[in-house]
Amino acid sequence: MGKYASHEEFGINAPINYREDTTSESFLKGMSAVCPQGMKPKVSRGKKFEEKTDFKASARWHKNFDVAMFGGSDIGTSDYESRQMSLEGKINGIKRIPGRH
């Protein structure tokens, strides 16, 4: 069984978890695991990674997932950022399922 009970629960939780989980620390930890011995990733790349995973990026990620899996049924293709904000605003009625933290 999946982590989320419904697509609405996915739409409310997953983009928030995406933003919380995509930190410079997680990027640097992952890159350190795959870089050649004796080398380490640049801290500046971790900061750039985190900057590019803000609200706009998570809303775009959710929109693309929604289009691919459901034909754009949940937040549509136009004005998806404001639709994502309204979807996340419903969180009071939906159980918050934290990410990997």
Side-chain angles (χ1 to χ4, degrees):
M1 180 155 185
K3 184 173 182 176
Y4 305 107
S6 67
H7 185 250
E8 185 173 61
E9 191 173 273
F10 168 81
I12 291 171
N13 282 285
I16 296 170
N17 290 340
Y18 173 87
R19 289 194 302 273
E20 290 176 352
D21 292 345
T22 53
T23 62
S24 60
E25 291 84 19
S26 66
F27 175 83
L28 295 173
K29 183 179 176 184
M31 293 305 291
S32 294
V34 298
C35 67
Q37 195 173 20
M39 296 184 80
K40 63 181 189 175
K42 294 179 181 178
V43 175
S44 61
R45 291 191 187 213
K47 290 178 183 175
K48 286 181 184 177
F49 172 78
E50 189 168 345
E51 288 170 6
K52 292 182 179 183
T53 55
D54 60 0
F55 174 80
K56 280 186 161 197
S58 67
R60 187 171 47 252
W61 170 80
H62 179 231
K63 178 194 95 90
N64 291 339
F65 178 88
D66 186 52
V67 169
M69 298 300 290
F70 303 100
S73 60
D74 205 25
I75 59 174
T77 56
S78 63
D79 198 26
Y80 62 89
E81 290 174 23
S82 66
R83 291 176 188 236
Q84 181 64 42
M85 286 182 76
S86 68
L87 186 61
E88 289 183 16
K90 294 181 182 179
I91 201 158
N92 293 334
I94 300 289
K95 182 182 175 190
R96 174 75 170 103
I97 303 171
R100 294 178 294 244
H101 294 279

